[in-house]
Amino acid sequence: MQEVPSVPLLRIDSLRVESITPTSAPPFLQGINLRLMPNEILGVVGETGAGKSLLARAILDLLPEDLRVTEGEIFSRERPLSRLSPAERRAFRGGEVALIGTNAKELLDPVVTVGSQLVRVLRSHHRVSRREAWARAVSLLAEVGIVNAKERAHAYPHELSGGMAQRVVIAMSLISEPKVVLADDATLGLDATVSVQVLDMLVERTRKMGVSVILITHDLGIVAHYCNRVAVMRSGRIEEIRDTVDFLARPDHRYSQDLLEAAKARPIPWVRSIGKADTPLLEVSNLVKIFPGKRPGEEVRAVDGVSFLIPPSETLALVGESGSGKTTIGQCLVRLLQSDSGRVLFDGQEITTLSEARFRPLRRRIQMVFQEPYVALNPRWRVRHLVDEPLRMLDKLTSAERLKRVHGMLELVRLPARYAELYPYELTAGEQKRVGMARALISRPDFVIFDEPTTALDIRVRAQIIDLVRQLQSDMQLSALFITHDLNSVRSLAHNVAVMNRGRIVEMGSMEEVFARPKDPYTQKLLAAELGIEGIHGPQGSAAAKKKGTVD
Amino acid sequence: MLTGLRRFQQMLPRSLQIILPRLLLLAPQMFGVLFVTFFLIRLLPGDPAVLLLGNMATPEAVAQLRERLGLNDSIWVQFIAYCRNVLHGDLGISIFTSHPVLTDLMERAPATLELIFYAMILTVAIGLLLAVVSVVRPGGFTDVATRIYGLAAGAIPDFWIGLILIFVFFSKLGWAAAPFGRIDAMLSEPPYVTGFYTIDALVAGDFGVLHSAAGRLLLPVITLAVVNAGALMKMTQSVFGKVWASPFVRHARASGVPERVIIRAALRNSLPPIITIVGFLVGFLLGAAVLVETIFSWGGLGQYAVQAVMNSDYPALQGFILVAAAFILVVYLIVDILYELVDPRIRV
């Protein structure tokens, strides 16, 4: 793409944002220089706390009340924003630069229909009749991919799925025809297939309307697939800003190199133990779990006749989107949920029909690492207390012995021994995940269920957790069920893969085989939605979009 | 049958879906009220005939009265007779005023309802306005003032405020009308339409009466509003404050929606608890306005009830409870309906 010799839509000159109260802490943003040209998609990537969202809020002049710009200036088409009158500033927000935020459902007014909300925004910027505005809202909703837009415009936000709500928020940002769209982690928390659909649509729409985009994300895959240029942010600064292709090929900065390295899949280092696999450690056959539906008499088959085997010291990854029943299976295996039918043999013993008292000794050998680390840890207990809970239940040890075991476990999950005295809120998300793992591993289990160990983590933290799990697998000869929707981590962690869709396993096989030659259409769809960073030669959208392009 | 009914219900628009079933529920609820009022009075210790005639009554007189009141019949027969009377609009004769209780109530109830009606309008206006301004402009004058007011309003009794208002605006300044009833003694009441003097005067086109009635309403209405707006304001502050800090308000601002539109949207989201507390206040004031009614010689329902208790006037008391309960039922019905209309997330 050639550099267009025109006026930048947005120009940020040596921006610095600081707290109003004088502190010794470093400024929240400093030395930010940025230019956004027409028809450009600029990626802003960085980890939590890098100041990405703050940058977006600074551009809209909506900084939190205790922060302010102390240096530098932002220009919109060469007009300094600090000189705008309040009325001009209001017209600028949404009229020239529009925001698409994270977690769309919370961004919509819960008691107003989505159509009316679009009308509200449009009529804040353009003098159009209510009728005309409604017609424009409906047609835009159709353009952002909402089926049956005429009817759905009358829906309330709580009646929409997350992906639908995100599309509505995108429509809301585009309806007053801005010049620039700031997408702040717009697809965070959506399923991968939905996320790429939404991103493909966003990029296509903005390109059609001639709108430039600043795509803020923590996902290098999104940057690699959608952005012309990329700015890497870290602790309030822009580390480097480059053409995406160049950046992926040879990043300048050490930090960027670390990020890229962390985002790549690890090769499978270990050879599977051959010959020992005559008796599987876990054998699940025809497992069924039914939940009552929303209306009386209705039922949801969350797990619908699922069978799989896990040999000793091997890992099976259960992949699928939210609602596919992955976590339900995990909870049935540790009997947090009672399955409705089917057999689960653990080390040759049927466990679904065991009484709780007989099952209890087995709990030591089957452990689960829960998904939401903060929610799964009692906030009023110290780490020491949290980690030795299974021991207090299962073994009669003195407190000194238990503390020794706790310290040993913390060392195993790479946490310093002093962390034993901390409370969960004092830990970062990655550290909380480690504590969750230490708690599961302290009873020296043979089999561990990891429920989404890598989601919602920053790139480098995620890589650390993956490395940790890999090491545990080889050191402890652990068998594991690895529940995730993060396909990239499956590449680094699993011997075998089972793909789930709507409570059923649609495809199962060795990881290499399934990933290289997926047979089921659903698996193919999942893999097409994956935004990898290897072998990218410029912004091109997702694999699904490319495929659609060639078919048309 | 039931599924057919349900299907029929789902064909109706949402507002009717909400209102119709609740209206149907009103009948059994009213019956329950009748049941309770009847038996509550029966539970009172002592023989009503003796109470009516006093301690000096001869046994013959008591027996005669028992016969006349039907007290010798079984309790169920009495209850049915009572229900039949109520349905015919016969609530008995007040012992103290010797008027039919219904006539008394028809006169007294509108007095109190008119007072509560205007007081509630003013309460909501003051409470919401102060709450919204204090949240939208934190640290401003209004914010500080509301904090002091919120504290004071909970602590100062209503009769005291009423007396102060009379002292300042009637006795000293002479601005306000005299605290002697609903209308100037020289004027005659407007012809009865709703029982609200202001509305009846408007209907009759008598602006002299309207002026007098409105003037008389001013101080008691302000008294009630000042006392009750404090609670409503605090409640609204906390609800509205939470909504004001929510992501959708921030997002509306980032989309360039004007502040006044955002305030309206945020207020709409804060309505459910506000509706609840207003409904509660209305029901509460029905009896609780009695001190203010007394101070202003209002002749309202509360005063009537207190008199009935003092004089052991059981028919009057029974009538009051019945009317008050029916009124509160209707208020809560309206609250429920509004609640569901305002929040689409509540499933019908």
Side-chain angles (χ1 to χ4, degrees):
Chain A
M1 191 173 177
Q2 282 181 339
E3 195 68 16
V4 190
S6 61
V7 186
L9 292 173
L10 268 184
R11 178 157 69 87
I12 302 177
D13 278 352
S14 58
L15 186 75
R16 184 183 177 94
V17 169
E18 282 176 290
S19 169
I20 286 179
T21 49
T23 52
S24 56
F28 287 85
L29 293 176
Q30 57 180 320
I32 304 279
N33 288 300
L34 208 64
R35 245 156 261 263
L36 182 69
M37 303 311 282
N39 293 309
E40 185 182 36
I41 299 181
L42 172 68
V44 174
V45 72
E47 296 179 302
T48 311
K52 309 184 298 282
S53 296
L54 215 53
L55 178 62
R57 292 180 71 171
I59 292 172
L60 287 168
D61 193 19
L62 282 173
L63 285 172
E65 271 167 27
D66 51 339
L67 301 185
R68 64 173 169 183
V69 175
T70 49
E71 207 183 292
E73 179 64 275
I74 302 173
F75 300 88
S76 163
R77 290 189 287 175
E78 299 305 312
R79 265 182 322 152
L81 292 188
S82 60
R83 305 255 176 81
L84 296 184
S85 70
E88 286 173 325
R89 189 163 300 146
R90 184 191 67 69
F92 166 77
R93 294 176 190 150
E96 281 182 48
V97 175
L99 178 73
I100 303 170
T102 314
N103 200 350
K105 282 202 141 181
E106 289 196 350
L107 303 180
L108 296 170
D109 186 339
V111 301
V112 178
T113 61
V114 294
S116 310
Q117 298 192 47
L118 291 187
V119 168
R120 187 146 92 193
V121 173
L122 177 57
R123 279 165 57 93
S124 301
H125 293 284
H126 299 283
R127 292 183 143 270
V128 286
S129 71
R130 200 165 280 278
R131 224 198 156 99
E132 160 80 22
W134 183 268
R136 297 245 298 262
V138 169
S139 77
L140 189 57
L141 283 176
E143 280 168 27
V144 297
I146 287 189
V147 194
N148 209 349
K150 213 169 188 169
E151 240 170 67
R152 296 310 272 168
H154 291 284
Y156 289 95
H158 71 277
E159 296 166 327
L160 303 176
S161 66
M164 284 294 149
Q166 195 64 58
R167 285 168 195 269
V168 171
V169 169
I170 289 175
M172 207 174 193
S173 73
L174 295 175
I175 193 154
S176 43
E177 292 166 358
K179 302 282 176 294
V180 176
V181 166
L182 304 175
D184 185 2
D185 256 333
T187 57
L188 193 72
L190 297 180
D191 270 326
T193 52
V194 180
S195 167
V196 297
Q197 281 168 10
V198 169
L199 284 170
D200 284 344
M201 182 277 293
L202 173 66
V203 168
E204 190 202 315
R205 290 303 323 156
T206 50
R207 203 157 275 164
K208 238 175 221 169
M209 295 170 72
V211 176
S212 292
V213 182
I214 295 184
L215 207 58
I216 296 170
T217 179
H218 64 271
D219 184 346
L220 282 170
I222 291 178
V223 169
H225 285 262
Y226 295 101
C227 299
N228 307 106
R229 284 192 304 150
V230 55
V232 180
M233 281 191 79
R234 182 194 193 185
S235 26
R237 297 167 181 275
I238 291 184
E239 294 275 326
E240 68 174 297
I241 179 162
R242 308 259 313 266
D243 221 57
T244 310
V245 182
D246 292 352
F247 169 79
L248 292 173
R250 355 164 253 290
D252 275 346
H253 271 256
R254 183 65 218 276
Y255 177 69
S256 316
Q257 290 164 10
D258 285 354
L259 277 187
L260 272 178
E261 203 45 51
K264 282 178 182 155
R266 309 286 192 273
I268 318 169
W270 18 258
V271 190
R272 61 180 72 206
S273 38
I274 302 160
K276 264 164 66 185
D278 43 358
T279 49
L281 184 68
L282 185 84
E283 186 175 355
V284 175
S285 45
N286 263 319
L287 193 71
V288 175
K289 175 69 196 172
I290 297 169
F291 289 115
K294 276 181 191 152
R295 284 159 196 241
E298 214 177 50
E299 56 177 38
V300 179
R301 296 179 80 85
V303 179
D304 194 2
V306 164
S307 311
F308 56 84
L309 303 175
I310 301 182
S313 65
E314 284 202 6
T315 298
L316 172 73
L318 214 49
V319 302
E321 297 186 274
S322 51
S324 60
K326 314 183 293 285
T327 297
T328 308
I329 290 181
Q331 296 193 339
C332 286
L333 295 186
V334 290
R335 301 231 331 216
L336 286 176
L337 290 171
Q338 193 63 46
S339 50
D340 288 298
S341 70
R343 282 152 49 91
V344 177
L345 292 179
F346 179 76
D347 211 3
Q349 195 174 7
E350 165 71 53
I351 60 172
T352 52
T353 52
L354 275 184
S355 70
E356 182 54 40
R358 302 273 308 279
F359 181 63
R360 203 142 182 207
L362 278 175
R363 286 198 183 273
R364 163 203 304 277
R365 302 180 58 194
I366 310 175
Q367 287 285 338
M368 182 156 178
V369 178
F370 293 92
Q371 179 174 0
E372 304 269 352
Y374 189 73
V375 180
L377 300 177
N378 187 336
R380 288 167 203 281
W381 283 6
R382 293 179 194 277
V383 167
R384 157 169 62 79
H385 211 57
L386 289 164
V387 173
D388 77 356
E389 192 183 10
L391 283 188
R392 276 179 285 131
M393 305 291 217
L394 296 165
D395 291 310
K396 286 198 175 67
L397 292 176
T398 66
S399 61
E401 282 171 322
R402 284 205 310 265
L403 192 62
K404 216 174 128 205
R405 287 275 286 276
V406 169
H407 284 157
M409 265 355 273
L410 289 180
E411 198 187 322
L412 191 69
V413 297
R414 308 269 162 74
L415 288 176
R418 64 179 179 85
Y419 272 54
E421 301 305 320
L422 298 182
Y423 286 99
Y425 72 88
E426 296 173 288
L427 309 178
T428 65
E431 287 164 350
Q432 287 169 359
K433 292 245 177 194
R434 286 162 194 262
V435 170
M437 286 187 199
R439 176 171 64 179
L441 296 171
I442 197 162
S443 64
R444 303 202 178 107
D446 307 312
F447 176 64
V448 177
I449 299 160
F450 291 95
D451 193 0
E452 303 275 14
T454 59
T455 40
L457 292 180
D458 276 323
I459 306 167
R460 288 185 307 164
V461 181
R462 181 178 153 279
Q464 288 162 6
I465 294 286
I466 289 178
D467 287 343
L468 174 63
V469 176
R470 281 158 61 86
Q471 199 210 342
L472 294 174
Q473 284 171 326
S474 54
D475 289 1
M476 298 179 75
Q477 296 289 304
L478 218 54
S479 294
L481 180 68
F482 182 56
I483 297 169
T484 189
H485 63 258
D486 175 6
L487 294 180
N488 198 29
S489 64
V490 172
R491 287 208 172 83
S492 317
L493 290 174
H495 303 91
N496 298 310
V497 176
V499 182
M500 282 198 76
N501 185 24
R502 298 183 180 188
R504 291 168 185 274
I505 290 181
V506 294
E507 183 164 2
M508 185 152 53
S510 79
M511 191 271 287
E512 300 92 328
E513 182 67 23
V514 172
F515 275 58
R517 285 174 291 280
K519 290 182 192 69
D520 188 85
Y522 181 75
T523 316
Q524 290 163 1
K525 194 175 132 199
L526 270 188
L527 285 167
E530 196 191 5
L531 300 174
I533 58 165
E534 279 109 344
I536 298 290
H537 309 291
Q540 56 193 9
S542 69
K546 258 188 299 176
K547 211 162 144 195
K548 209 170 80 190
T550 53
V551 168
D552 288 343
Chain B
M1 164 70 187
L2 212 64
T3 52
L5 209 66
R6 180 156 295 161
R7 198 162 307 141
F8 171 70
Q9 197 196 341
Q10 276 163 0
M11 279 165 20
L12 297 170
R14 191 182 135 86
S15 50
L16 281 182
Q17 272 185 45
I18 293 166
I19 294 170
L20 282 182
R22 296 201 173 269
L23 280 181
L24 288 179
L25 264 182
L26 208 54
Q29 282 173 335
M30 252 344 273
F31 182 78
V33 168
L34 272 181
F35 191 82
V36 171
T37 39
F38 177 78
F39 283 97
L40 261 187
I41 298 297
R42 281 307 124 104
L43 280 176
L44 288 174
D47 187 336
V50 176
L51 284 172
L52 285 179
L53 294 172
N55 285 334
M56 307 300 285
T58 57
E60 291 79 40
V62 171
Q64 211 182 357
L65 188 64
R66 284 187 67 88
E67 188 61 36
R68 195 156 60 79
L69 291 177
L71 291 176
N72 293 329
D73 296 330
S74 85
I75 194 109
W76 296 107
V77 173
Q78 290 181 47
F79 178 58
I80 290 164
Y82 171 70
C83 288
R84 193 183 305 130
N85 287 342
V86 168
L87 284 181
H88 286 109
D90 177 7
L91 297 178
I93 309 277
S94 162
I95 298 161
F96 182 68
T97 65
S98 7
H99 293 302
V101 171
L102 189 71
T103 317
D104 276 350
L105 290 175
M106 289 282 276
E107 202 183 294
R108 308 297 188 109
T112 297
L113 293 186
E114 189 175 27
L115 189 61
I116 294 178
F117 178 71
Y118 290 112
M120 265 354 275
I121 291 179
L122 191 62
T123 303
V124 169
I126 295 175
L128 293 200
L129 191 73
L130 290 182
V132 167
V133 174
S134 70
V135 168
V136 174
R137 301 201 193 299
F141 171 75
T142 320
D143 189 18
V144 178
T146 55
R147 260 176 245 181
I148 297 168
Y149 172 51
L151 207 65
I156 300 173
D158 50 0
F159 63 86
W160 188 80
I161 291 179
L163 290 175
I164 291 289
L165 286 176
I166 292 171
F167 178 70
V168 174
F169 292 102
F170 174 65
S171 306
K172 286 285 162 197
L173 297 172
W175 292 352
F180 305 132
R182 300 171 68 191
I183 195 169
D184 199 314
M186 309 301 284
L187 296 167
S188 57
E189 297 160 12
Y192 195 102
V193 182
T194 59
F196 282 28
Y197 282 3
T198 45
I199 294 174
D200 289 355
L202 258 185
V203 171
D206 189 339
F207 291 99
V209 172
L210 178 67
H211 183 258
S212 171
R216 292 291 173 104
L217 270 168
L218 198 63
L219 287 190
V221 161
I222 291 177
T223 307
L224 286 178
V226 163
V227 173
N228 293 296
L232 184 66
M233 180 196 74
K234 281 186 147 182
M235 171 90 184
T236 311
Q237 261 176 340
S238 90
V239 178
F240 185 77
K242 243 177 239 150
V243 175
W244 193 244
S246 66
F248 84 83
V249 166
R250 241 189 314 166
H251 191 254
R253 197 170 294 132
S255 305
V257 177
E259 283 302 290
R260 70 191 148 72
V261 179
I262 300 179
I263 289 176
R264 214 182 306 143
L267 203 52
R268 169 100 158 68
N269 272 277
S270 332
L271 275 184
I274 295 174
I275 290 171
T276 309
I277 201 162
V278 168
F280 167 77
L281 275 180
V282 169
F284 169 75
L285 282 182
L286 198 62
V290 64
L291 287 175
V292 174
E293 285 180 2
T294 311
I295 291 169
F296 291 92
S297 319
W298 202 248
L301 215 49
Q303 271 175 298
Y304 186 69
V306 170
Q307 254 169 30
V309 172
M310 305 274 244
N311 300 315
S312 299
D313 189 349
Y314 288 111
L317 195 55
Q318 219 168 5
F320 167 75
I321 294 174
L322 190 67
V323 167
F327 178 71
I328 288 173
L329 265 187
V330 171
V331 168
Y332 283 5
L333 172 83
I334 295 172
V335 165
D336 277 357
I337 291 172
L338 284 181
Y339 210 95
E340 292 187 21
L341 286 180
V342 156
D343 193 341
R345 282 166 297 185
I346 293 176
R347 251 202 286 168
V348 179

